[in-house]
Amino acid sequence: MPAKPSPTMLRRQLGAELRRIRDRAQRTVADVAGQLDWSESKLSRIETANTGIRAADLDRLLRLYGVDDAEHSRLRAMAAQSRQRAWWEAYGGALADAYETFIGFETEATSIRAYEAQVVPGLLQTAEYASAVTRASFPPDQLDVVEQRVAVRMARQAVLTRQPPPRLWTILDEAVLRRQVGGPDVLRRQLLRLNEASERKVVTIQVLPFAAGAHPALAGSFMVLEFSGAAERPLVYSEGATGGVFRNRPEDLRSYESSFEALGAAALTPMESIEFIGAVARGER
């Protein structure tokens, strides 16, 4: 049976519902925030699922919109479910808020398209490679944080074995295959894992060679996540040194999707990519 929606997705659905009800009531964000003595930012963050909503605030908001008792009860139940703890929240002390939110979306995604310029995507990393990547970002006295983050990364990979699994299409810059993360042996085993992963029907891996030259994603790595619900718009996620950023404006989505299509056209084919990765792993390229 399919897993129940994650708290992250329920919060997003609730935000979309509240935005729909506000539009139906023909109220602006400024108008509603002013009547409730909230900041406009607070209401916007609730509607975009960047933050949750307390039961008392939800009641005030729904009374202002004049919803009937049945709709009020349904939305109250959805809000309560969205406040339940997900498995990754047990590691909350080691995870940034944006990363926790991202895991929730990843758990529900039906399609994941990722361009990676620096390292192997987390869903395809070996434990030793993940450890080397994570240690590079933390001082030696935070070994416990490193261990927790690696554990989360390994647990995330279960999404590829759920039923039905998401479609994963990743494009790797050639630099990912060359960077000696963890040393030659760790990298070689990681490259072999990539080729093993490519044997799954739901996984597509392409390599963007250095010879491709300049391309539309020189600004850095990004990920496009799609969901099954018609009302669930795709999301773009990108990580930075101080946290991750989500984008879901239609114009942003079009730009990133166009970039990904261009990268796919410039990259080696999946079969050529498998051969290329194998050759690098064997030291032949």
Side-chain angles (χ1 to χ4, degrees):
M1 294 180 63
K4 64 181 181 180
S6 71
T8 304
M9 287 302 294
L10 286 169
R11 193 165 67 234
R12 192 179 189 212
Q13 292 168 12
L14 177 63
E17 289 267 19
L18 294 176
R19 185 169 59 249
R20 177 185 61 79
I21 293 170
R22 178 175 57 77
D23 289 341
R24 185 181 67 194
Q26 298 182 326
R27 309 291 290 268
T28 66
V29 170
D31 174 32
V32 173
Q35 282 202 249
L36 295 175
D37 198 26
W38 293 356
S39 67
E40 293 182 34
S41 173
K42 175 177 177 176
L43 181 56
S44 294
R45 286 175 62 80
I46 290 170
E47 290 187 349
T48 56
N50 284 307
T51 189
I53 182 169
R54 297 182 304 167
D57 283 345
L58 179 62
D59 289 342
R60 291 184 65 202
L61 187 61
L62 296 179
R63 281 197 298 269
L64 178 63
Y65 292 152
V67 304
D68 60 32
D69 290 345
E71 190 166 29
H72 193 135
S73 296
R74 179 177 65 84
L75 294 172
R76 224 176 184 280
M78 183 184 292
Q81 291 176 356
S82 75
R83 290 191 289 271
Q84 294 177 359
R85 287 172 59 85
W87 66 261
W88 55 86
E89 292 183 42
Y91 300 89
L95 306 178
D97 290 345
Y99 186 45
E100 285 194 59
T101 301
F102 163 72
I103 295 173
F105 288 137
E106 181 183 67
T107 300
E108 298 291 332
T110 56
S111 169
I112 302 171
R113 288 174 289 169
Y115 166 66
E116 184 53 69
Q118 300 292 339
V119 297
V120 171
L123 290 180
L124 300 176
Q125 291 180 6
T126 63
E128 58 182 355
Y129 183 95
S131 180
V133 169
T134 309
R135 285 200 309 272
S137 301
F138 291 90
D141 62 351
Q142 294 191 26
L143 181 60
D144 57 332
V145 174
V146 171
E147 292 175 344
Q148 289 183 69
R149 289 182 70 98
V150 172
V152 169
R153 188 158 301 181
M154 294 299 101
R156 279 175 49 204
Q157 296 181 4
V159 73
L160 295 177
T161 59
R162 75 165 197 232
Q163 293 301 321
R167 186 81 175 82
L168 175 62
W169 179 4
T170 183
I171 299 174
L172 307 177
D173 191 278
E174 183 178 341
V176 174
L177 312 183
R178 305 290 187 186
R179 183 164 287 104
Q180 297 288 311
V181 174
D185 291 338
V186 170
L187 178 60
R188 179 178 58 81
R189 287 189 288 270
Q190 175 62 77
L191 297 181
L192 294 176
R193 170 68 66 83
L194 285 177
N195 276 357
E196 290 174 6
S198 68
E199 296 175 2
R200 299 182 182 182
K201 292 183 179 180
V202 296
V203 176
T204 299
I205 298 174
Q206 289 183 263
V207 173
L208 184 69
F210 291 146
H215 56 78
L218 290 174
S221 309
F222 65 89
M223 188 178 297
V224 181
L225 299 97
E226 295 180 90
F227 309 93
S228 59
E232 298 294 342
R233 288 190 297 178
L235 278 175
V236 172
Y237 177 74
S238 56
E239 286 189 338
T242 57
V245 176
F246 294 96
R247 297 178 176 86
N248 65 356
R249 294 190 306 173
E251 57 269 33
D252 290 340
L253 291 171
R254 285 194 294 270
S255 176
Y256 279 97
E257 288 176 339
S258 176
S259 293
F260 194 85
E261 289 178 7
L263 291 170
L268 302 177
T269 67
M271 184 58 69
E272 291 170 339
S273 297
I274 290 173
E275 295 173 354
F276 190 94
I277 293 171
V280 174
R282 295 188 297 272
E284 298 172 359
R285 300 202 61 153

mmCIF file of all heavy atoms in Angstrom, residues 142-178:
data_model
loop_
_atom_site.group_PDB
_atom_site.id
_atom_site.type_symbol
_atom_site.label_atom_id
_atom_site.label_comp_id
_atom_site.label_asym_id
_atom_site.label_seq_id
_atom_site.Cartn_x
_atom_site.Cartn_y
_atom_site.Cartn_z
ATOM 1 N N GLN A 142 33.000 17.750 15.289
ATOM 2 C CA GLN A 142 31.571 17.521 15.068
ATOM 3 C C GLN A 142 31.324 16.173 14.389
ATOM 4 O O GLN A 142 30.472 16.039 13.523
ATOM 5 C CB GLN A 142 30.953 18.656 14.254
ATOM 6 C CG GLN A 142 30.938 19.987 14.979
ATOM 7 C CD GLN A 142 30.092 21.024 14.263
ATOM 8 O OE1 GLN A 142 29.167 20.708 13.528
ATOM 9 N NE2 GLN A 142 30.426 22.283 14.480
ATOM 10 N N LEU A 143 32.079 15.182 14.797
ATOM 11 C CA LEU A 143 31.960 13.852 14.215
ATOM 12 C C LEU A 143 30.551 13.282 14.380
ATOM 13 O O LEU A 143 30.033 12.598 13.495
ATOM 14 C CB LEU A 143 32.976 12.901 14.849
ATOM 15 C CG LEU A 143 32.976 11.456 14.316
ATOM 16 C CD1 LEU A 143 33.274 11.437 12.829
ATOM 17 C CD2 LEU A 143 33.985 10.611 15.079
ATOM 18 N N ASP A 144 29.903 13.593 15.521
ATOM 19 C CA ASP A 144 28.550 13.071 15.742
ATOM 20 C C ASP A 144 27.572 13.635 14.720
ATOM 21 O O ASP A 144 26.674 12.935 14.242
ATOM 22 C CB ASP A 144 28.079 13.392 17.157
ATOM 23 C CG ASP A 144 28.110 14.890 17.475
ATOM 24 O OD1 ASP A 144 28.937 15.599 16.870
ATOM 25 O OD2 ASP A 144 27.308 15.338 18.309
ATOM 26 N N VAL A 145 27.737 14.914 14.359
ATOM 27 C CA VAL A 145 26.876 15.522 13.347
ATOM 28 C C VAL A 145 27.111 14.873 11.989
ATOM 29 O O VAL A 145 26.170 14.585 11.243
ATOM 30 C CB VAL A 145 27.124 17.042 13.258
ATOM 31 C CG1 VAL A 145 26.322 17.657 12.106
ATOM 32 C CG2 VAL A 145 26.756 17.717 14.565
ATOM 33 N N VAL A 146 28.374 14.621 11.669
ATOM 34 C CA VAL A 146 28.715 13.959 10.407
ATOM 35 C C VAL A 146 28.037 12.593 10.338
ATOM 36 O O VAL A 146 27.419 12.237 9.316
ATOM 37 C CB VAL A 146 30.243 13.805 10.262
ATOM 38 C CG1 VAL A 146 30.578 12.917 9.059
ATOM 39 C CG2 VAL A 146 30.902 15.173 10.114
ATOM 40 N N GLU A 147 28.140 11.827 11.410
ATOM 41 C CA GLU A 147 27.555 10.488 11.422
ATOM 42 C C GLU A 147 26.038 10.537 11.243
ATOM 43 O O GLU A 147 25.456 9.723 10.519
ATOM 44 C CB GLU A 147 27.922 9.771 12.720
ATOM 45 C CG GLU A 147 29.406 9.433 12.820
ATOM 46 C CD GLU A 147 29.780 8.827 14.161
ATOM 47 O OE1 GLU A 147 28.956 8.944 15.111
ATOM 48 O OE2 GLU A 147 30.876 8.252 14.275
ATOM 49 N N GLN A 148 25.399 11.511 11.875
ATOM 50 C CA GLN A 148 23.949 11.633 11.743
ATOM 51 C C GLN A 148 23.551 12.021 10.324
ATOM 52 O O GLN A 148 22.584 11.489 9.771
ATOM 53 C CB GLN A 148 23.418 12.670 12.736
ATOM 54 C CG GLN A 148 23.472 12.223 14.184
ATOM 55 C CD GLN A 148 22.866 13.264 15.107
ATOM 56 O OE1 GLN A 148 21.668 13.492 15.106
ATOM 57 N NE2 GLN A 148 23.713 13.910 15.887
ATOM 58 N N ARG A 149 24.284 12.940 9.737
ATOM 59 C CA ARG A 149 23.944 13.373 8.383
ATOM 60 C C ARG A 149 24.165 12.252 7.371
ATOM 61 O O ARG A 149 23.402 12.108 6.406
ATOM 62 C CB ARG A 149 24.749 14.620 8.007
ATOM 63 C CG ARG A 149 24.297 15.865 8.766
ATOM 64 C CD ARG A 149 25.070 17.079 8.331
ATOM 65 N NE ARG A 149 24.729 17.497 6.976
ATOM 66 C CZ ARG A 149 23.871 18.470 6.684
ATOM 67 N NH1 ARG A 149 23.237 19.119 7.650
ATOM 68 N NH2 ARG A 149 23.639 18.798 5.431
ATOM 69 N N VAL A 150 25.209 11.458 7.574
ATOM 70 C CA VAL A 150 25.437 10.312 6.687
ATOM 71 C C VAL A 150 24.300 9.299 6.846
ATOM 72 O O VAL A 150 23.798 8.746 5.868
ATOM 73 C CB VAL A 150 26.798 9.662 6.975
ATOM 74 C CG1 VAL A 150 26.944 8.347 6.183
ATOM 75 C CG2 VAL A 150 27.937 10.609 6.594
ATOM 76 N N ALA A 151 23.870 9.077 8.094
ATOM 77 C CA ALA A 151 22.766 8.150 8.332
ATOM 78 C C ALA A 151 21.502 8.615 7.631
ATOM 79 O O ALA A 151 20.766 7.811 7.035
ATOM 80 C CB ALA A 151 22.517 8.017 9.837
ATOM 81 N N VAL A 152 21.246 9.916 7.669
ATOM 82 C CA VAL A 152 20.066 10.461 6.973
ATOM 83 C C VAL A 152 20.198 10.267 5.471
ATOM 84 O O VAL A 152 19.239 9.881 4.787
ATOM 85 C CB VAL A 152 19.899 11.958 7.308
ATOM 86 C CG1 VAL A 152 18.859 12.594 6.394
ATOM 87 C CG2 VAL A 152 19.490 12.137 8.762
ATOM 88 N N ARG A 153 21.393 10.512 4.952
ATOM 89 C CA ARG A 153 21.587 10.368 3.505
ATOM 90 C C ARG A 153 21.360 8.935 3.056
ATOM 91 O O ARG A 153 20.744 8.679 2.023
ATOM 92 C CB ARG A 153 22.994 10.838 3.122
ATOM 93 C CG ARG A 153 23.233 10.901 1.629
ATOM 94 C CD ARG A 153 24.358 11.839 1.283
ATOM 95 N NE ARG A 153 24.087 13.192 1.762
ATOM 96 C CZ ARG A 153 24.903 14.222 1.575
ATOM 97 N NH1 ARG A 153 26.028 14.059 0.923
ATOM 98 N NH2 ARG A 153 24.602 15.415 2.043
ATOM 99 N N MET A 154 21.827 7.976 3.842
ATOM 100 C CA MET A 154 21.611 6.577 3.495
ATOM 101 C C MET A 154 20.123 6.209 3.594
ATOM 102 O O MET A 154 19.588 5.480 2.761
ATOM 103 C CB MET A 154 22.440 5.670 4.405
ATOM 104 C CG MET A 154 23.963 5.810 4.236
ATOM 105 S SD MET A 154 24.544 5.400 2.545
ATOM 106 C CE MET A 154 24.752 7.058 1.843
ATOM 107 N N ALA A 155 19.451 6.743 4.627
ATOM 108 C CA ALA A 155 18.028 6.452 4.797
ATOM 109 C C ALA A 155 17.207 7.047 3.664
ATOM 110 O O ALA A 155 16.195 6.468 3.244
ATOM 111 C CB ALA A 155 17.545 6.994 6.147
ATOM 112 N N ARG A 156 17.629 8.205 3.156
ATOM 113 C CA ARG A 156 16.910 8.838 2.041
ATOM 114 C C ARG A 156 16.839 7.920 0.824
ATOM 115 O O ARG A 156 15.873 7.975 0.059
ATOM 116 C CB ARG A 156 17.609 10.136 1.625
ATOM 117 C CG ARG A 156 17.301 11.345 2.472
ATOM 118 C CD ARG A 156 18.159 12.519 2.025
ATOM 119 N NE ARG A 156 18.110 12.719 0.579
ATOM 120 C CZ ARG A 156 19.080 13.332 -0.110
ATOM 121 N NH1 ARG A 156 20.167 13.771 0.496
ATOM 122 N NH2 ARG A 156 18.961 13.492 -1.414
ATOM 123 N N GLN A 157 17.837 7.085 0.646
ATOM 124 C CA GLN A 157 17.911 6.255 -0.550
ATOM 125 C C GLN A 157 16.783 5.226 -0.623
ATOM 126 O O GLN A 157 16.531 4.657 -1.695
ATOM 127 C CB GLN A 157 19.272 5.578 -0.631
ATOM 128 C CG GLN A 157 20.411 6.572 -0.797
ATOM 129 C CD GLN A 157 21.778 5.928 -0.894
ATOM 130 O OE1 GLN A 157 21.901 4.698 -0.920
ATOM 131 N NE2 GLN A 157 22.814 6.741 -0.956
ATOM 132 N N ALA A 158 16.080 5.011 0.492
ATOM 133 C CA ALA A 158 14.949 4.084 0.487
ATOM 134 C C ALA A 158 13.853 4.555 -0.452
ATOM 135 O O ALA A 158 13.011 3.755 -0.884
ATOM 136 C CB ALA A 158 14.398 3.925 1.902
ATOM 137 N N VAL A 159 13.847 5.847 -0.800
ATOM 138 C CA VAL A 159 12.812 6.356 -1.704
ATOM 139 C C VAL A 159 12.874 5.650 -3.062
ATOM 140 O O VAL A 159 11.849 5.494 -3.745
ATOM 141 C CB VAL A 159 12.948 7.889 -1.878
ATOM 142 C CG1 VAL A 159 14.146 8.252 -2.741
ATOM 143 C CG2 VAL A 159 11.672 8.485 -2.470
ATOM 144 N N LEU A 160 14.057 5.171 -3.441
ATOM 145 C CA LEU A 160 14.212 4.508 -4.744
ATOM 146 C C LEU A 160 13.679 3.082 -4.739
ATOM 147 O O LEU A 160 13.552 2.468 -5.807
ATOM 148 C CB LEU A 160 15.690 4.509 -5.169
ATOM 149 C CG LEU A 160 16.306 5.882 -5.445
ATOM 150 C CD1 LEU A 160 17.783 5.744 -5.793
ATOM 151 C CD2 LEU A 160 15.568 6.598 -6.570
ATOM 152 N N THR A 161 13.366 2.553 -3.574
ATOM 153 C CA THR A 161 12.842 1.187 -3.491
ATOM 154 C C THR A 161 11.377 1.156 -3.066
ATOM 155 O O THR A 161 10.812 0.093 -2.879
ATOM 156 C CB THR A 161 13.664 0.344 -2.496
ATOM 157 O OG1 THR A 161 13.622 0.951 -1.192
ATOM 158 C CG2 THR A 161 15.105 0.241 -2.955
ATOM 159 N N ARG A 162 10.780 2.342 -2.871
ATOM 160 C CA ARG A 162 9.354 2.369 -2.528
ATOM 161 C C ARG A 162 8.545 1.952 -3.759
ATOM 162 O O ARG A 162 9.076 1.855 -4.880
ATOM 163 C CB ARG A 162 8.937 3.763 -2.059
ATOM 164 C CG ARG A 162 8.807 4.771 -3.191
ATOM 165 C CD ARG A 162 8.065 6.028 -2.803
ATOM 166 N NE ARG A 162 7.655 6.721 -4.010
ATOM 167 C CZ ARG A 162 7.903 7.998 -4.259
ATOM 168 N NH1 ARG A 162 8.560 8.726 -3.386
ATOM 169 N NH2 ARG A 162 7.496 8.545 -5.389
ATOM 170 N N GLN A 163 7.269 1.682 -3.547
ATOM 171 C CA GLN A 163 6.392 1.312 -4.662
ATOM 172 C C GLN A 163 5.225 2.291 -4.783
ATOM 173 O O GLN A 163 4.451 2.443 -3.839
ATOM 174 C CB GLN A 163 5.879 -0.121 -4.453
ATOM 175 C CG GLN A 163 6.952 -1.181 -4.554
ATOM 176 C CD GLN A 163 7.658 -1.172 -5.907
ATOM 177 O OE1 GLN A 163 7.020 -0.978 -6.948
ATOM 178 N NE2 GLN A 163 8.966 -1.388 -5.881
ATOM 179 N N PRO A 164 5.119 2.960 -5.930
ATOM 180 C CA PRO A 164 6.072 2.954 -7.040
ATOM 181 C C PRO A 164 7.244 3.895 -6.746
ATOM 182 O O PRO A 164 7.059 4.895 -6.046
ATOM 183 C CB PRO A 164 5.236 3.461 -8.213
ATOM 184 C CG PRO A 164 4.259 4.394 -7.578
ATOM 185 C CD PRO A 164 3.919 3.784 -6.238
ATOM 186 N N PRO A 165 8.411 3.613 -7.287
ATOM 187 C CA PRO A 165 9.566 4.479 -7.047
ATOM 188 C C PRO A 165 9.499 5.729 -7.929
ATOM 189 O O PRO A 165 8.809 5.728 -8.960
ATOM 190 C CB PRO A 165 10.751 3.595 -7.456
ATOM 191 C CG PRO A 165 10.177 2.720 -8.529
ATOM 192 C CD PRO A 165 8.761 2.446 -8.110
ATOM 193 N N PRO A 166 10.188 6.778 -7.557
ATOM 194 C CA PRO A 166 10.250 7.960 -8.416
ATOM 195 C C PRO A 166 11.163 7.698 -9.611
ATOM 196 O O PRO A 166 12.016 6.808 -9.573
ATOM 197 C CB PRO A 166 10.846 9.031 -7.503
ATOM 198 C CG PRO A 166 11.715 8.251 -6.562
ATOM 199 C CD PRO A 166 10.980 6.954 -6.330
ATOM 200 N N ARG A 167 10.977 8.453 -10.647
ATOM 201 C CA ARG A 167 11.873 8.393 -11.809
ATOM 202 C C ARG A 167 13.030 9.332 -11.523
ATOM 203 O O ARG A 167 12.825 10.532 -11.297
ATOM 204 C CB ARG A 167 11.118 8.851 -13.056
ATOM 205 C CG ARG A 167 11.910 8.698 -14.347
ATOM 206 C CD ARG A 167 11.827 7.270 -14.833
ATOM 207 N NE ARG A 167 12.476 7.119 -16.134
ATOM 208 C CZ ARG A 167 13.776 6.961 -16.315
ATOM 209 N NH1 ARG A 167 14.589 6.968 -15.266
ATOM 210 N NH2 ARG A 167 14.272 6.787 -17.513
ATOM 211 N N LEU A 168 14.256 8.816 -11.496
ATOM 212 C CA LEU A 168 15.441 9.629 -11.200
ATOM 213 C C LEU A 168 16.274 9.787 -12.461
ATOM 214 O O LEU A 168 16.737 8.805 -13.040
ATOM 215 C CB LEU A 168 16.275 8.975 -10.102
ATOM 216 C CG LEU A 168 17.612 9.658 -9.777
ATOM 217 C CD1 LEU A 168 17.393 11.079 -9.264
ATOM 218 C CD2 LEU A 168 18.408 8.842 -8.761
ATOM 219 N N TRP A 169 16.446 11.012 -12.870
ATOM 220 C CA TRP A 169 17.272 11.326 -14.047
ATOM 221 C C TRP A 169 18.308 12.338 -13.583
ATOM 222 O O TRP A 169 17.973 13.444 -13.191
ATOM 223 C CB TRP A 169 16.400 11.893 -15.157
ATOM 224 C CG TRP A 169 17.126 12.281 -16.417
ATOM 225 C CD1 TRP A 169 18.441 12.108 -16.709
ATOM 226 C CD2 TRP A 169 16.541 12.913 -17.562
ATOM 227 N NE1 TRP A 169 18.729 12.588 -17.969
ATOM 228 C CE2 TRP A 169 17.593 13.091 -18.512
ATOM 229 C CE3 TRP A 169 15.253 13.346 -17.878
ATOM 230 C CZ2 TRP A 169 17.355 13.690 -19.757
ATOM 231 C CZ3 TRP A 169 15.032 13.946 -19.118
ATOM 232 C CH2 TRP A 169 16.067 14.109 -20.043
ATOM 233 N N THR A 170 19.565 11.938 -13.579
ATOM 234 C CA THR A 170 20.621 12.819 -13.100
ATOM 235 C C THR A 170 21.678 13.031 -14.174
ATOM 236 O O THR A 170 22.056 12.099 -14.885
ATOM 237 C CB THR A 170 21.259 12.257 -11.809
ATOM 238 O OG1 THR A 170 22.240 13.169 -11.317
ATOM 239 C CG2 THR A 170 21.922 10.913 -12.052
ATOM 240 N N ILE A 171 22.121 14.261 -14.282
ATOM 241 C CA ILE A 171 23.181 14.625 -15.213
ATOM 242 C C ILE A 171 24.381 15.067 -14.372
ATOM 243 O O ILE A 171 24.267 15.990 -13.554
ATOM 244 C CB ILE A 171 22.740 15.756 -16.161
ATOM 245 C CG1 ILE A 171 21.536 15.302 -16.998
ATOM 246 C CG2 ILE A 171 23.894 16.174 -17.071
ATOM 247 C CD1 ILE A 171 20.931 16.411 -17.866
ATOM 248 N N LEU A 172 25.495 14.394 -14.550
ATOM 249 C CA LEU A 172 26.702 14.659 -13.766
ATOM 250 C C LEU A 172 27.735 15.383 -14.613
ATOM 251 O O LEU A 172 28.079 14.926 -15.718
ATOM 252 C CB LEU A 172 27.315 13.342 -13.271
ATOM 253 C CG LEU A 172 26.413 12.384 -12.505
ATOM 254 C CD1 LEU A 172 27.180 11.108 -12.165
ATOM 255 C CD2 LEU A 172 25.882 13.042 -11.247
ATOM 256 N N ASP A 173 28.242 16.488 -14.114
ATOM 257 C CA ASP A 173 29.373 17.123 -14.766
ATOM 258 C C ASP A 173 30.561 16.166 -14.681
ATOM 259 O O ASP A 173 30.718 15.424 -13.702
ATOM 260 C CB ASP A 173 29.717 18.440 -14.079
ATOM 261 C CG ASP A 173 30.709 19.260 -14.889
ATOM 262 O OD1 ASP A 173 31.925 18.979 -14.788
ATOM 263 O OD2 ASP A 173 30.274 20.162 -15.611
ATOM 264 N N GLU A 174 31.418 16.159 -15.679
ATOM 265 C CA GLU A 174 32.585 15.271 -15.668
ATOM 266 C C GLU A 174 33.440 15.490 -14.428
ATOM 267 O O GLU A 174 34.096 14.548 -13.936
ATOM 268 C CB GLU A 174 33.423 15.484 -16.932
ATOM 269 C CG GLU A 174 34.612 14.543 -17.033
ATOM 270 C CD GLU A 174 35.417 14.711 -18.317
ATOM 271 O OE1 GLU A 174 34.891 15.279 -19.311
ATOM 272 O OE2 GLU A 174 36.591 14.267 -18.333
ATOM 273 N N ALA A 175 33.408 16.704 -13.883
ATOM 274 C CA ALA A 175 34.193 17.000 -12.677
ATOM 275 C C ALA A 175 33.803 16.087 -11.516
ATOM 276 O O ALA A 175 34.645 15.752 -10.672
ATOM 277 C CB ALA A 175 34.002 18.463 -12.273
ATOM 278 N N VAL A 176 32.543 15.677 -11.467
ATOM 279 C CA VAL A 176 32.083 14.783 -10.399
ATOM 280 C C VAL A 176 32.850 13.464 -10.451
ATOM 281 O O VAL A 176 33.179 12.884 -9.420
ATOM 282 C CB VAL A 176 30.564 14.526 -10.536
ATOM 283 C CG1 VAL A 176 30.091 13.481 -9.528
ATOM 284 C CG2 VAL A 176 29.791 15.831 -10.365
ATOM 285 N N LEU A 177 33.131 12.995 -11.648
ATOM 286 C CA LEU A 177 33.823 11.715 -11.812
ATOM 287 C C LEU A 177 35.314 11.833 -11.544
ATOM 288 O O LEU A 177 35.975 10.816 -11.277
ATOM 289 C CB LEU A 177 33.629 11.188 -13.243
ATOM 290 C CG LEU A 177 32.203 11.181 -13.802
ATOM 291 C CD1 LEU A 177 32.210 10.557 -15.198
ATOM 292 C CD2 LEU A 177 31.263 10.436 -12.874
ATOM 293 N N ARG A 178 35.837 13.036 -11.609
ATOM 294 C CA ARG A 178 37.289 13.243 -11.470
ATOM 295 C C ARG A 178 37.695 13.641 -10.051
ATOM 296 O O ARG A 178 38.821 13.382 -9.640
ATOM 297 C CB ARG A 178 37.747 14.343 -12.433
ATOM 298 C CG ARG A 178 37.385 14.123 -13.884
ATOM 299 C CD ARG A 178 38.173 13.006 -14.498
ATOM 300 N NE ARG A 178 37.945 12.892 -15.924
ATOM 301 C CZ ARG A 178 38.431 11.916 -16.689
ATOM 302 N NH1 ARG A 178 39.211 10.976 -16.138
ATOM 303 N NH2 ARG A 178 38.180 11.860 -17.974
#
